[in-house]
Amino acid sequence: MSELPRVALIITGGTIDSVGTDRLDLAWYIEAGKRLGTGELLGQLPELKTIAHVKEVPFRRLPSHALVDKDWLDMVRTIHSIFDENKADGIVITHGTNTIEETAYFLNLTLKTDKPVIVVGAMRPSSAISADGYLNLVNAVKVAADPHSRGRGAMLVMNDTIYSGRDVTKNDTYRVQAFQSRDLGPLGFADADGSVVYYHQTVKKHTENTEFDVRNLQSLPRVDVVVSYVGADGNMIEAAAAVGAKGIVSAGTGAGRPTPAEDEAFDRVYKEKGVIMCLCSRVASGRVVRSPGLAKRGFVAGDNLQPWKARLLLALALTKTNNADEIQRMFDTY
Ligand code: ASP
């Protein structure tokens, strides 16, 4: 019998290892803050032994909305040390779903490996009737263990579906089919017959083919997101600049429009402090494009990235340059 692949499991918290007060507790478990202990999640899944040698790697556990940039930087270092020491063929990271898409994109932009790194979560706690995390985790291990998953960037596996870390976003607060890649669709499936099948691959550059290597970084430049709405003035933009933002992402209306007052504030903080602005949209899908006028004013257009994903790319871009045209090139590439 051939050797099984080795998969490292990094458990970072979230709903997937949360424990509710009873089997119908599908919402309040977050406040109770109770989690499965080390080894308990794996212990519930003896079936994994037929798929891979899975070994748990210690990492801090927290709800995903409590993560800070430093957690990502440490996660990237942990992943690299596992691969550098040849301890695994693939990695699965269990994670809260609230911000899992940000982690997926951050890893997609920064990992220097072609080995599979899969993030996975759950919409129902481990103690719930019909808890979805167990099968999600089995599927994530299958995807991480599959040699065909190499070179596809960091991916998210939920509800039998494989998504690109760049494109995936959360679309529902409680349903198990919470994730989608909206305009772009999933990459493939971990399907009912046990197979991992791919149908698409992203043409956006990722992992080994990006210019971002954060292994020696201890922090990222501050980038804030400002949401636009009828009557929004420029105060949030001025405030972000005042507390040291080097970049600001606008979640603009429609195809990416801030209000006139916000526009004025953006121009001011760009001129006075060199703060780089990136225009995205509060609309669920579609591209935000860079008109000649926006280019002249030093704006970057966020393409079809969600504002919180554009925040990550802008922060990474600002570790390299603060030239808006050069940053636009990065947004067109990743
Ligand atoms: N509700 C979240 C989850 O689905 C909690 C979190 O993001 O940590 O995991």
Side-chain angles (χ1 to χ4, degrees):
M1 210 177 85
S2 65
E3 269 288 297
L4 285 176
R6 300 159 306 154
V7 172
L9 177 65
I10 301 176
I11 299 186
T12 72
T15 294
I16 190 166
D17 66 350
S18 289
V19 179
T21 49
D22 57 50
R23 299 205 309 154
L24 291 180
D25 178 2
L26 303 178
W28 314 134
Y29 60 91
I30 295 276
E31 287 173 15
K34 198 167 158 219
R35 297 193 178 283
L36 295 174
T38 305
E40 279 190 291
L41 189 55
L42 271 185
Q44 307 267 4
L45 292 170
E47 296 81 2
L48 286 175
K49 291 199 176 74
T50 63
I51 302 167
H53 292 296
V54 183
K55 197 159 181 267
E56 198 169 319
V57 175
F59 197 79
R60 63 200 72 126
R61 294 207 207 178
L62 60 182
S64 70
H65 39 271
L67 288 180
V68 293
D69 293 354
K70 169 92 167 53
D71 294 309
W72 285 325
L73 297 169
D74 290 344
M75 198 183 291
V76 166
R77 280 187 274 274
T78 301
I79 292 168
H80 280 108
S81 74
I82 292 167
F83 287 144
D84 291 348
E85 292 164 28
N86 190 22
K87 287 189 172 151
D89 304 302
I91 294 180
V92 170
I93 301 166
T94 64
H95 197 294
T97 60
N98 292 354
T99 65
I100 196 170
E101 66 200 72
E102 283 161 78
T103 297
Y105 190 41
F106 190 76
L107 298 177
N108 198 55
L109 288 168
T110 57
L111 291 180
K112 299 297 132 203
T113 180
D114 72 340
K115 290 189 180 169
V117 175
I118 312 301
V119 293
V120 62
M123 296 305 292
R124 296 176 181 151
S126 65
S127 47
I129 294 177
S130 281
D132 56 326
Y134 298 113
L135 190 55
N136 284 348
L137 181 53
V138 169
N139 284 335
V141 170
K142 277 187 195 163
V143 173
D146 193 310
H148 296 107
S149 300
R150 283 183 87 133
R152 296 182 189 273
M155 294 182 282
L156 181 148
V157 173
M158 293 272 295
N159 215 24
D160 307 344
T161 312
I162 309 169
Y163 299 96
S164 146
R166 178 190 184 277
D167 305 328
V168 70
T169 189
K170 191 172 182 179
N171 285 270
D172 201 287
T173 49
Y174 288 111
R175 306 290 89 82
V176 293
Q177 183 55 6
F179 286 85
Q180 276 180 29
S181 289
R182 292 191 176 154
D183 287 348
L184 308 171
L187 301 179
F189 301 96
D191 224 339
D193 61 351
S195 48
V196 170
V197 285
Y198 287 101
Y199 294 92
H200 300 135
Q201 64 189 19
T202 180
V203 298
K204 290 292 188 180
K205 291 195 174 162
H206 55 74
T207 55
E208 292 180 306
N209 297 316
T210 75
E211 57 217 273
F212 310 121
D213 187 344
V214 297
R215 280 175 282 190
N216 293 320
L217 290 188
Q218 297 307 322
S219 63
L220 293 172
R222 180 175 180 134
V223 175
D224 288 301
V225 178
V226 174
V227 181
S228 191
Y229 48 87
V230 170
D233 63 21
N235 284 340
M236 299 301 274
I237 292 154
E238 302 279 2
V243 294
K246 302 286 177 266
I248 300 175
V249 175
S250 167
T253 61
R257 298 306 328 164
T259 63
E262 287 181 308
D263 265 331
E264 272 174 35
F266 276 130
D267 288 341
R268 214 164 26 246
V269 298
Y270 178 58
K271 227 196 255 147
E272 288 170 10
K273 299 192 168 147
V275 179
I276 297 288
M277 295 87 55
C278 173
L279 274 188
C280 288
S281 173
R282 63 181 201 176
V283 166
S285 60
R287 296 178 64 227
V288 170
V289 298
R290 197 184 196 214
S291 66
L294 287 174
K296 226 187 264 161
R297 288 167 58 204
F299 271 91
V300 171
D303 197 272
N304 61 357
L305 291 173
Q306 308 297 329
W308 42 96
K309 291 199 179 197
R311 186 185 89 81
L312 300 178
L313 180 51
L314 183 53
L316 289 167
L318 287 166
T319 65
K320 299 273 167 193
T321 179
N322 46 21
N323 178 297
D325 293 335
E326 182 57 8
I327 294 174
Q328 186 64 57
R329 176 193 61 74
M330 297 176 190
F331 272 80
D332 295 342
T333 308
Y334 310 121

